[in-house]
Amino acid sequence: MCGLCGIFGTDDHWSAAGFETRASADPVLRRRDRTARIAVVNRMLARRRIQLSDWQGQSYILRNLTGRQAIVSNVTEVWAALEAEFGGGFDPLDPANFPEALPEPGAQS
């Protein structure tokens, strides 16, 4: 299947739900939330030198320093693509994978 097929779908996966309930109807808020998700995932992946980027607001591209890349439809597919395309497992719930990605419990923002 051609990789372009991914850009014609909609961003209706549960992982794309906005931080605010009105975000799903507002394209500006959806884009802001998407950018925030990408930033958090990139902080988690920084030690592996792999980067996630937006592709047409519909899909994501995972890239490493050697140029290897994988296109994924949503954030939940990132973890499987990391294992399949870049080798090694990645547990997104392991605190060691995001020491700086999320605030400490009880921290003020």
Side-chain angles (χ1 to χ4, degrees):
M1 178 186 298
C2 173
L4 288 176
C5 293
I7 68 169
F8 299 120
T10 60
D11 198 16
D12 60 356
H13 190 267
W14 69 265
S15 65
F19 296 122
E20 301 175 28
T21 55
R22 59 190 172 90
S24 61
D26 184 341
V28 173
L29 291 176
R30 283 177 67 102
R31 180 64 80 172
R32 185 194 66 200
D33 289 346
R34 185 176 180 88
T35 301
R37 274 191 300 279
I38 290 169
V40 169
V41 172
N42 279 330
R43 287 192 298 265
M44 293 171 71
L45 299 176
R47 292 186 321 171
R48 294 187 71 173
R49 292 188 165 92
I50 296 174
Q51 184 177 21
L52 183 70
S53 59
D54 183 43
W55 188 38
Q56 302 292 323
Q58 297 296 320
S59 296
Y60 300 92
I61 300 176
L62 275 171
R63 289 188 181 99
N64 68 4
L65 294 176
T66 64
R68 174 175 254 167
Q69 61 185 13
I71 298 172
V72 295
S73 299
N74 53 63
V75 173
T76 59
E77 290 181 10
V78 167
W79 321 124
L82 280 170
E83 187 169 341
E85 300 294 328
F86 300 98
F90 187 88
D91 180 2
L93 301 178
D94 183 352
N97 288 325
F98 54 90
E100 298 174 18
L102 300 173
E104 291 294 319
Q108 302 267 333
S109 6

